[in-house]
Amino acid sequence: MTFLERIYCGILAVTIVCFGWYFLDTFIHVDINAAAISDHVTRIWIMFGIYIGLTIAVTLATWFIDSEVEDEFDERDNKIDMFAERVCSYFQAMALLGILVLVMYEFSAFIIAHVVLATIVLTSILGLAVRLYLYRRGI
Amino acid sequence: MVKPTAIKNNIRALRFAADEMTQDALAKEIGVTRQTIIAIEQGRYSPSLEAAFKIALALGVGLEDVFTYAPPASKE
């Protein structure tokens, strides 16, 4: 497994745990139809802070553990990156259409904000998963 | 989702013929990662033309000695 793959695995795990916890907690403890987004701003910022901190920690830990990092970003990495970005762009386009439908039907700002957040998170997870798949299975 | 490449190669055999050159040494010589060399050897990745020439040069043989193209069988 290359250094890049280890980083992707670490960030994927952090993303799933961090945002998975946030969405579970939100949908279990909050009445999403009555909640106001302004009541949850602090929570969202804290969660973002934890996510950024953990991502940096995972990257640094992988860097220190892998003391013989000599891998460079080469043409295959580039190709894999482009393919993953293309898959993500299709997903984002579909999600944007879904968000537009939510806006047209006047869903609450709380729901729309969380669907936007879910789109960002799922795009990130999809991009990382596609990259890891292509590193293992080839392109 | 990922189609196997139609380009076959003899890199593994040629590496052993070239003083048992390691994948790591070949990767360093042509400026890619060892994982890329593994993927090329296993037919999971078709290298760029430039990388293909560099591989041939590093192994001291012609391009056609390293890579061969096996076109997919016609449906007719």
Side-chain angles (χ1 to χ4, degrees), chain A residues 60-79:
Chain A
L60 288 178
T62 313
W63 190 280
F64 284 123
I65 291 166
D66 199 340
S67 56
E68 293 181 0
V69 178
E70 290 176 354
D71 291 344
E72 292 169 7
F73 200 81
D74 68 10
E75 59 177 49
R76 184 165 169 257
D77 299 315
N78 244 333
K79 206 171 171 184

Side-chain angles (χ1 to χ4, degrees), chain A residues 20-38:
Chain A
W21 162 78
Y22 174 78
F23 279 107
L24 268 181
D25 188 56
T26 300
F27 289 101
I28 288 172
H29 296 112
V30 179
D31 179 4
I32 58 168
N33 292 312
I37 189 69
S38 53

Side-chain angles (χ1 to χ4, degrees), chain B residues 39-50:
Chain B
I40 295 169
E41 276 192 12
Q42 292 177 349
R44 290 188 286 117
Y45 173 63
S46 297
S48 67
L49 198 54
E50 188 179 351

Side-chain angles (χ1 to χ4, degrees), chain A residues 10-90:
Chain A
I11 296 174
L12 183 62
V14 167
T15 308
I16 290 171
V17 169
C18 208
F19 286 98
W21 162 78
Y22 174 78
F23 279 107
L24 268 181
D25 188 56
T26 300
F27 289 101
I28 288 172
H29 296 112
V30 179
D31 179 4
I32 58 168
N33 292 312
I37 189 69
S38 53
D39 297 337
H40 297 271
V41 170
T42 312
R43 237 171 112 240
I44 292 173
W45 279 120
I46 290 171
M47 192 266 307
F48 263 123
I50 292 170
Y51 175 66
I52 291 168
L54 283 175
T55 303
I56 292 170
V58 165
T59 307
L60 288 178
T62 313
W63 190 280
F64 284 123
I65 291 166
D66 199 340
S67 56
E68 293 181 0
V69 178
E70 290 176 354
D71 291 344
E72 292 169 7
F73 200 81
D74 68 10
E75 59 177 49
R76 184 165 169 257
D77 299 315
N78 244 333
K79 206 171 171 184
I80 287 174
D81 252 8
M82 282 195 291
F83 189 91
E85 289 301 324
R86 201 170 73 210
V87 172
C88 287
S89 71
Y90 294 148

Side-chain angles (χ1 to χ4, degrees), chain A residues 2 72 74-75 136 138-139, chain B residues 2 33 35-36 44-45 48:
Chain A
T2 63
E72 292 169 7
D74 68 10
E75 59 177 49
R136 293 288 102 192
I139 183 167
Chain B
V2 179
T33 63
Q35 297 298 318
T36 298
R44 290 188 286 117
Y45 173 63
S48 67

Side-chain angles (χ1 to χ4, degrees), chain B residues 30-65:
Chain B
I30 68 165
V32 299
T33 63
R34 195 173 71 88
Q35 297 298 318
T36 298
I37 296 295
I38 293 169
I40 295 169
E41 276 192 12
Q42 292 177 349
R44 290 188 286 117
Y45 173 63
S46 297
S48 67
L49 198 54
E50 188 179 351
F53 272 109
K54 282 181 180 173
I55 291 170
L57 199 65
L59 294 170
V61 292
L63 188 63
E64 65 281 3
D65 296 321

